Amino acid sequence: MLDKTIYKQIFKSSFNAPIDVEFWDGEKVSYGDGDAIATIILHEIIPIKDIMAHASLTFGEAYMDGKIEIQGDLQKLVSTIYSSQESFLNGSKFAKLIPKQSHSEKTSKADVQSHYDIGNDFYEMWLDPTMTYSCAYFADEKDSLEDAQWNKVRHILNKLHPQSGETLLDIGCGWGTLIFTAAKEYNLEATGVTLSQQQYDFVSEKIKAEGLEDRVHVYLKDYRELEQTYDHVTSVGMFEHVGKENLQEYFMQVSNRLVDNGTALIHGITGQHDGAGVDAWINKYIFPGGYIPNIAENINHIMHTGSLQVDDIEPLRRHYQRTLEMWTQNFHKVDEEVISAYGERFYRMWDLYLQACAASFESGNIDVVQYLLTKGPSGTKLPMTRSYIYHADVAHGVQ
């Protein structure tokens, strides 16, 4: 009885929209006014002490294991949880800090490979043909996911204001779309670095297949091992992986890899508010060692390099929400294939991850931000206004 009473208190304060809850003994309770956006079915008692210790981890595992079922709009349900200041995810009475994460070169490699080396076949099932696993850029409401990913890559490169023959380094290059585009469309000598064996093999084979050995290079190594300098540095969806304790070193490495007056475009998930940048469930199952810094943290680290300056900041929260919603649609189209290859628990884990992340962006709990930086006096090599970016976007089909 005590467990159910506390459950009811949690549900009463945790949602900003009407929901229905069906408890393990068959009792049904409605919360809020109007038609429920979803029904939560609790098949068994989940210990309150586990919820108090790590709410997101406990409920996430319960969903993966089928102890909890969600009927209705999962994304909207999670979004309402983030929107409620008294929810079990936001309320301080349910919060608990998780231990500091180790981010040596060895542990960073293990963390990256645990996520990205699931297998290229898995990501090919639901990513678009560009194999781009980061926030897209929807220049038009009607853009397909593939079009929006091409937009994103070109928008990033256009911000750098690159000149033919210059060099570019992409830290955390993924499956290489950005470096191939830099070489083929902007005539840059492009280098990528990754810790994922699967990504490295994919990019290496593509370089040979396209005969780009003299213009595109890829290395399987930690970004901290690099020594060469470049005219431009990009890094997309990377700083979320380095850990809170290594953010300063990360931005120092960006600076160290740039020539004087070089430009950098750093794109990553960023909090707009104070609060812990780690989610226990995502840290355990999706991104081991991950940490989401807020804007103030990143700006502080940029300032403390002593050399990098901020030229432009562009939030893309709605773009990532839309990207995740499209990934979720693609993922649902291959549900049987994923379950057959990896099991239902794995499928439920990834389904929850994609929809919960979309909800997090929808609610404004997190954002994704592009930081345009220069090494040296701000804008020395850039035009006086931002109009150059949009003129270049139009010239490259981003419109």
Side-chain angles (χ1 to χ4, degrees):
M1 180 63 68
L2 176 62
D3 273 352
K4 190 189 287 188
T5 300
I6 297 176
Y7 262 108
K8 289 180 177 180
Q9 292 174 352
I10 292 174
F11 288 129
K12 184 178 181 179
S13 64
S14 290
F15 300 93
N16 278 343
I19 65 161
D20 292 335
V21 177
E22 182 176 329
F23 289 93
W24 49 84
D25 60 0
E27 181 183 3
K28 297 180 181 179
V29 181
S30 296
Y31 298 91
D33 298 324
D35 295 334
I37 62 169
T39 298
I40 301 173
I41 303 173
L42 304 172
H43 290 298
E44 61 183 76
I45 296 174
I46 301 171
I48 290 297
K49 64 180 179 62
D50 294 341
I51 300 174
M52 296 291 287
H54 287 303
S56 69
L57 178 61
T58 299
F59 280 112
E61 289 182 331
Y63 181 80
M64 291 163 58
D65 294 334
K67 298 176 182 178
I68 293 177
E69 294 288 342
I70 306 296
Q71 295 179 351
D73 193 330
L74 176 57
Q75 177 183 329
K76 184 65 67 176
L77 178 67
V78 178
S79 180
T80 66
I81 298 173
Y82 281 122
S83 298
S84 172
Q85 293 302 311
E86 298 300 320
S87 80
F88 56 82
L89 291 183
N90 290 331
S92 60
K93 58 187 174 183
F94 300 111
K96 183 179 179 69
L97 296 175
I98 46 183
K100 181 178 179 180
Q101 304 294 310
S102 170
H103 279 83
S104 65
E105 293 182 10
K106 181 178 180 180
T107 56
S108 291
K109 184 174 183 178
D111 290 345
V112 168
Q113 291 184 346
S114 72
H115 187 83
Y116 293 99
D117 283 352
I118 293 172
N120 291 341
D121 291 346
F122 170 67
Y123 290 100
E124 287 172 345
M125 288 182 183
W126 53 275
L127 293 180
D128 71 282
T130 70
M131 288 291 285
T132 305
Y133 184 36
S134 55
C135 175
Y137 183 75
F138 294 87
D140 187 282
E141 289 288 329
K142 298 179 181 178
D143 284 339
S144 68
L145 178 57
E146 182 179 0
D147 287 340
Q149 291 293 8
W150 284 117
N151 290 343
K152 185 269 298 298
V153 169
R154 291 163 180 150
H155 190 54
I156 286 173
L157 292 168
N158 291 337
K159 285 186 175 185
L160 297 171
H161 196 53
Q163 304 301 306
S164 178
E166 292 182 331
T167 57
L168 176 141
L169 169 68
D170 189 24
I171 300 175
C173 66
W175 287 276
T177 300
L178 191 149
I179 57 176
F180 284 107
T181 304
K184 294 191 288 187
E185 296 187 17
Y186 295 79
N187 195 32
L188 303 180
E189 183 178 343
T191 299
V193 61
T194 179
L195 286 175
S196 165
Q197 185 70 52
Q198 294 266 338
Q199 291 177 344
Y200 171 78
D201 292 342
F202 181 94
V203 175
S204 297
E205 292 173 7
K206 188 173 180 179
I207 290 172
K208 293 179 181 178
E210 299 195 11
L212 293 171
E213 291 91 341
D214 60 332
R215 296 167 59 196
V216 181
H217 317 282
V218 65
Y219 298 107
L220 182 66
K221 61 170 59 178
D222 192 281
Y223 70 100
R224 290 168 287 193
E225 298 176 1
L226 299 173
E227 296 180 355
Q228 185 176 338
T229 56
Y230 301 82
D231 296 301
H232 310 284
V233 171
T234 55
S235 188
V236 181
M238 169 67 186
F239 65 63
E240 305 96 307
H241 298 293
V242 305
K244 181 179 178 66
E245 69 278 13
N246 283 329
L247 279 167
Q248 185 63 66
E249 181 180 10
Y250 168 81
F251 282 105
M252 282 300 305
Q253 287 295 325
V254 171
S255 176
N256 291 341
R257 301 285 67 78
L258 277 174
V259 301
D260 290 341
N261 295 319
T263 58
L265 193 288
I266 310 301
H267 166 126
I269 300 173
T270 307
Q272 288 271 21
H273 307 286
D274 291 334
V278 181
D279 178 272
W281 181 79
I282 287 180
N283 189 271
K284 180 176 181 178
Y285 289 100
I286 307 297
F287 288 117
Y291 175 80
I292 306 299
N294 62 45
I295 289 179
E297 286 180 88
N298 280 341
I299 295 299
N300 185 60
H301 291 307
I302 290 166
M303 290 170 56
H304 279 84
T305 64
S307 54
L308 294 177
Q309 296 199 28
V310 177
D311 280 85
D312 189 69
I313 295 177
E314 182 178 12
L316 298 174
R317 177 184 63 82
R318 293 171 63 195
H319 295 261
Y320 216 165
Q321 177 189 339
R322 191 178 184 92
T323 302
L324 282 153
E325 289 169 350
M326 288 186 165
W327 283 343
T328 299
Q329 292 170 8
N330 291 346
F331 192 69
H332 288 171
K333 291 177 183 177
V334 295
D335 53 1
E336 293 182 2
E337 293 93 326
V338 175
I339 292 171
S340 175
Y342 302 98
E344 185 165 350
R345 189 173 191 264
F346 178 92
Y347 172 82
R348 291 171 69 88
M349 176 180 75
W350 270 84
D351 187 32
L352 177 60
Y353 161 62
L354 292 172
Q355 295 199 60
C357 285
S360 196
F361 283 105
E362 180 181 5
S363 68
N365 181 55
I366 53 177
D367 206 330
V368 63
V369 175
Q370 290 186 350
Y371 304 82
L372 178 61
L373 311 174
T374 54
K375 184 175 181 178
S378 180
T380 300
K381 291 182 64 177
L382 297 177
M384 291 286 282
T385 72
R386 294 174 176 170
S387 61
Y388 80 92
I389 300 172
Y390 302 106
H391 289 158
D393 277 354
V394 171
H396 286 87
V398 183
Q399 52 184 312

